[in-house]
Amino acid sequence: MTGAAGLERGYRRLLACYPARFRGEHGEELVAVLMAGAREGQRRPGLAESASLLRSGLGMRLRPDTSPAAGQGWADALAVFSLAGPVFLLATTLLVALAGGVYSLGRGGFTVLFGIPGFWITLGVQAVLAALVLAGLRRAALVMTAAAGVYFFNFYLGVYSSTFPQSSPEVWRLLAISVCIVELAALLGSPGPRRGRDLVHWGHGVVLLLCAAALASYAALLRQAAAEPAVTLLLMVIAAALITTLARAVRLNRYFRLLLAALACPCALFLAYRAFDWQWLYLTSYERPALLLAGPVLTAAVAVISTVRPRRRQII
Amino acid sequence: MTSRAMQEATFLILTALAAGAQHGYGIITDVQHISAGRVKLRAGTLYTALDRLRGEQLIEVDHEEVVDTRLRRYYRLTPAGASRLADEAARLAASAATALARLRLAGGIG
């Protein structure tokens, strides 16, 4: 009896490598089948069976979930974003800093950057936010996102200009605020990062990493005095087209793709303004971010309303 | 453009269910029997396939029962699953018939 209990415990431990959605649906019957197929007196899962379970479970986590239970609506897109958004922002900051540092290596790029207290505060805020969502702490992440949003907005307006160089790429500063806006909507309108953990797969990782790389490349291009704004814009449009194609190919939820497009809105407007010298963007310090950030704000509002309305109908 | 060829494990699982609803362990033993012992499905592989086939609406849950405190879920083919299996069987039969006819022409078999 003890041997059977140990064997069952071993199988249940191996099932942890499957997504929670799958465990909830098939966990019990899978354990029943594994126990039925066990040899008389077997005390531990066999090597081949363990390898098969690990391969199937991890494979399932890496592939996009196409089951009806996986869901393809706003709530699931927001759940994935609530987990992936802060991690993406942290990765982008590191890549942008790396790109800037490598470019000015000969002129003490890294020393200059790492010697600035504002850089560490920004990095620290983003790292804490990423850690909170990875730990699945929705409420703490909500408070931290609101605080980070205020900090990044003041940072954008130049309130902390004495602690951080204003030469830091404006698109990156806009991205930090945009991520906070969408993250607030994601934490309010979805079951949160725990649900996001069940839905996220390698496709999200690859697409977000490419977005971060594109932004870091832009940051590096900005430091090239000879870089033409129109050429930079063209390169970014090509990068965006490639990323969009990839996002469709790996079957990312279309609402998640909309959230990414909302993040790209301020960057696209800013790049176009630089390339075409749009006069209408010469606005006051508050009007300009209000206009540039309209895309993420509107998308976040639509997302939250779309997720709250069906729930209200159910209550009635 | 024709539909993609089905993997052998998927074909055998659908074939096992063509005779009627079966639970997971029943499918494993039936697949082994159908394939004359050549294919022994692992539980992890089977349930990954069952999950995918349910997602594609080729199979559905028939009923559930509890035996010795263990859950048994029986699966059956959906009409779409039966049609897909029939198409695949016809495709394999046509390919096999062509192969045998050519071997006969070449004198490979009698």
Side-chain angles (χ1 to χ4, degrees):
Chain A
M1 195 64 197
T2 317
L7 179 63
E8 182 168 341
R9 235 189 346 265
Y11 281 138
R12 286 190 188 280
R13 235 177 265 138
L14 286 166
L15 289 191
C17 65
Y18 282 88
R21 196 270 310 158
F22 179 88
R23 285 201 307 273
E25 261 179 59
H26 299 292
E28 287 309 312
E29 50 177 325
L30 183 47
V31 168
V33 169
L34 287 164
M35 293 301 286
R39 292 187 314 276
E40 188 67 36
Q42 188 178 339
R43 300 162 72 92
R44 287 193 194 86
L47 200 64
E49 196 73 76
S50 303
S52 166
L53 288 170
L54 283 171
R55 196 180 57 239
S56 303
L58 295 176
M60 196 170 271
R61 278 189 187 274
L62 292 175
R63 276 191 302 274
D65 193 345
T66 55
S67 76
Q72 291 291 306
W74 266 119
D76 287 320
L78 290 173
V80 172
F81 191 93
S82 72
L83 177 77
V87 179
F88 162 63
L89 181 59
L90 181 64
T92 307
T93 299
L94 288 171
L95 282 178
V96 167
L98 196 69
V102 167
Y103 180 74
S104 48
L105 204 57
R107 288 162 285 156
F110 282 113
T111 320
V112 170
L113 189 68
F114 294 160
I116 301 163
F119 173 74
W120 293 108
I121 295 168
T122 303
L123 203 64
V125 166
Q126 293 179 6
V128 169
L129 185 55
L132 289 174
V133 294
L134 286 172
L137 302 171
R138 185 170 170 229
R139 284 184 191 171
L142 196 61
V143 173
M144 190 66 195
T145 304
V150 172
Y151 171 74
F152 292 138
F153 192 69
N154 282 326
F155 170 51
Y156 178 83
L157 294 177
V159 175
Y160 311 125
S161 55
S162 59
T163 58
F164 206 98
Q166 286 306 293
S167 61
S168 62
E170 186 167 346
V171 285
W172 171 74
R173 286 184 276 153
L174 286 166
L175 180 83
I177 308 168
S178 306
V179 168
C180 287
I181 292 167
V182 180
E183 180 69 10
L184 274 178
L187 292 165
L188 285 169
S190 79
R194 281 174 200 266
R195 168 74 177 148
R197 247 185 277 169
D198 293 336
L199 298 168
V200 77
H201 57 81
W202 67 271
H204 294 104
V206 171
V207 168
L208 289 174
L209 198 64
L210 284 177
C211 290
L215 212 74
S217 310
Y218 170 72
L221 274 173
L222 264 189
R223 289 165 195 270
Q224 304 268 1
E228 276 291 321
V231 174
T232 310
L233 177 67
L234 181 68
L235 289 174
M236 288 299 116
V237 167
I238 293 169
L242 288 174
I243 291 169
T244 307
T245 310
L246 180 72
R248 288 174 73 94
V250 297
R251 292 154 82 181
L252 293 196
N253 175 329
R254 71 189 176 105
Y255 295 104
F256 187 81
R257 299 203 306 263
L258 267 176
L259 294 178
L260 291 187
L263 293 187
C265 267
C267 304
L269 270 176
F270 177 77
L271 288 177
Y273 142 75
R274 276 192 75 244
F276 304 118
D277 199 19
W278 284 344
Q279 296 297 318
W280 55 270
L281 267 174
Y282 290 113
L283 302 163
T284 66
S285 56
Y286 283 96
E287 286 165 348
R288 186 181 153 110
L291 190 72
L292 287 170
L293 295 167
V297 170
L298 285 174
T299 310
V302 168
V304 171
I305 291 166
S306 306
T307 51
V308 169
R309 267 173 61 191
R311 265 189 256 159
R312 279 205 184 138
R313 268 192 214 127
Q314 276 174 6
I315 292 164
I316 293 164
Chain B
M1 179 76 190
T2 52
S3 60
R4 224 169 29 155
M6 197 181 274
Q7 285 185 347
E8 189 182 15
T10 307
F11 179 77
L12 291 171
I13 290 167
L14 293 180
T15 304
L17 294 177
Q22 294 211 58
H23 58 79
Y25 193 66
I27 297 171
I28 290 177
T29 49
D30 201 14
V31 162
Q32 204 169 353
H33 172 72
I34 296 165
S35 65
R38 196 171 46 82
V39 177
K40 189 177 183 311
L41 282 180
R42 298 243 171 234
T45 314
L46 170 71
Y47 277 92
T48 306
L50 289 178
D51 190 62
R52 180 173 49 79
L53 292 170
R54 265 184 86 186
E56 293 171 7
Q57 296 176 347
L58 298 181
I59 63 166
E60 61 193 359
V61 174
D62 186 73
H63 68 280
E64 291 177 358
E65 61 184 27
V66 176
V67 179
D68 295 333
T69 72
R70 300 269 184 214
L71 173 73
R72 264 188 192 173
R73 190 173 280 158
Y74 287 75
Y75 295 91
R76 65 166 178 245
L77 280 187
T78 61
S83 159
R84 181 87 171 82
L85 179 62
D87 289 348
E88 187 65 12
R91 193 187 64 79
L92 288 173
S95 300
T98 307
L100 288 170
R102 290 191 177 185
L103 280 168
R104 255 183 235 115
L105 278 175
I109 58 169

